[in-house]
Amino acid sequence: MDLASFFQEQGVDVFSEVSIDTLSDKDRSFVMQFFPGARFVIVFGKEVPATVYLMLQKEKTRGMLRIAETLNKTAVRLAACMEAEHIPALPVPLYIPIRITDGSVQGVVRLKQVAAAGGLGSLGRSTVLLSPKFGPRLMLSGVVTGQPACKSGKAQTNVQSADGPVCIECGQCISMCPEKALGPAGCDAFRCRIVHAWVPSLLVPAVKWMLGRRMFLKCMAPLAPWIARIATIRCSLCVTKCPLFSGQLVRR
């Protein structure tokens, strides 16, 4: 399968087919738990235009959801195309399921870490992926596969730069966070203003417990898209205050 042609038709900006052998032990384990026959993760992304971040909260939320749902539809189409070619494939869910690991909320596959391993960028102190072209404004989706898309077995990619950008450790993302959700250990999702509006501090232990229950996640899955559509992105300072917001390259 020609991934470059497929993604061009879908309007995807960047992609990389990543062997799970190149992932950390933790991320390889997460991928294998999600899809036991996994050998590759095809991670891909679209730019979130800078103008979206300047919109009012509700318009900004709708703009980002449109991009996220477009990426999700692309993942479902890609998985279906690969299955038609007898390549086992499973799209990474957009909303649920998720997992709690070491007290932190994450997707079943950590796409930012996979994207970094695939050369699509590097992780900043805010844990956001920094893309060479788009800075922290790249939204991701992915498909886990049991075989490479190309019959030759050669991984496909359109990595735009092998060496940038790199987080300059300025600490802007951490200092600008109004809820102090960012720190040396990464991001505490439950302190983030977006999540905190829905989950008050007193309810965090109970919510973490529920998110660890498969039956709860199964029941919540049909409601997740509806919740996402009525939610509001109240803050994005960790992105907009990043010196790499415009996508310019900064290297060590």
Side-chain angles (χ1 to χ4, degrees):
M1 181 175 183
D2 185 349
L3 290 180
S5 296
F6 174 83
F7 284 130
Q8 185 176 18
E9 292 173 0
Q10 299 295 315
V12 166
D13 294 309
V14 294
F15 75 90
S16 183
E17 187 173 24
V18 186
S19 168
I20 65 169
D21 293 336
T22 65
L23 303 179
S24 68
D25 291 342
K26 178 180 286 189
D27 283 296
R28 190 182 311 116
S29 173
F30 291 154
V31 173
M32 293 296 291
Q33 289 174 36
F34 173 65
F35 188 25
R39 286 183 56 199
F40 290 85
V41 181
I42 301 171
V43 61
F44 53 94
K46 285 179 68 72
E47 174 197 14
V48 179
T51 52
V52 171
Y53 288 93
L54 304 178
M55 295 176 177
L56 297 176
Q57 290 180 0
K58 289 185 177 180
E59 286 75 15
K60 176 169 63 175
T61 302
R62 284 195 289 267
M64 290 189 178
L65 275 176
R66 279 194 295 269
I67 296 171
E69 291 177 350
T70 296
L71 285 169
N72 186 60
K73 290 176 182 177
T74 297
V76 172
R77 290 190 191 106
L78 176 58
C81 288
M82 298 191 77
E83 289 282 357
E85 296 187 11
H86 308 291
I87 299 174
L90 196 61
V92 177
L94 173 59
Y95 300 113
I96 288 178
I98 55 178
R99 70 169 82 238
I100 297 285
T101 303
D102 299 328
S104 298
V105 180
Q106 64 181 53
V108 288
V109 175
R110 299 198 303 181
L111 289 173
K112 289 180 290 187
Q113 283 78 0
V114 175
L120 294 187
S122 60
L123 295 176
R125 291 186 70 181
S126 63
T127 73
V128 172
L129 183 79
L130 300 175
S131 158
K133 186 174 182 180
F134 308 115
R137 297 180 292 103
L138 188 66
M139 193 174 290
L140 300 171
S141 186
V143 172
V144 180
T145 72
Q147 299 174 27
C150 180
K151 292 182 179 179
S152 68
K154 184 178 180 181
Q156 302 174 66
T157 183
N158 69 338
V159 175
Q160 297 171 338
S161 174
D163 55 356
V166 174
C167 178
I168 59 176
E169 304 289 337
C170 66
Q172 285 273 58
C173 53
I174 294 175
S175 63
M176 293 302 300
C177 181
E179 304 297 337
K180 306 302 179 186
L182 298 174
C187 178
D188 182 347
F190 288 103
R191 294 189 68 174
C192 175
R193 181 173 287 183
I194 300 170
V195 178
H196 189 66
W198 285 80
V199 185
S201 301
L202 288 174
L203 297 180
V204 168
V207 171
K208 285 186 176 181
W209 181 85
M210 287 188 291
L211 290 177
R213 312 272 81 79
R214 288 189 177 183
M215 184 56 68
F216 174 79
L217 292 178
K218 186 175 181 179
C219 294
M220 282 294 296
L223 300 177
W226 176 78
I227 293 173
R229 290 188 184 99
I230 65 171
T232 302
I233 297 176
R234 290 173 165 78
C235 180
S236 52
L237 290 174
C238 58
V239 173
T240 58
K241 296 302 180 181
C242 176
L244 295 170
F245 178 72
S246 64
Q248 62 198 28
L249 292 178
V250 176
R251 301 184 177 92
R252 295 188 193 281

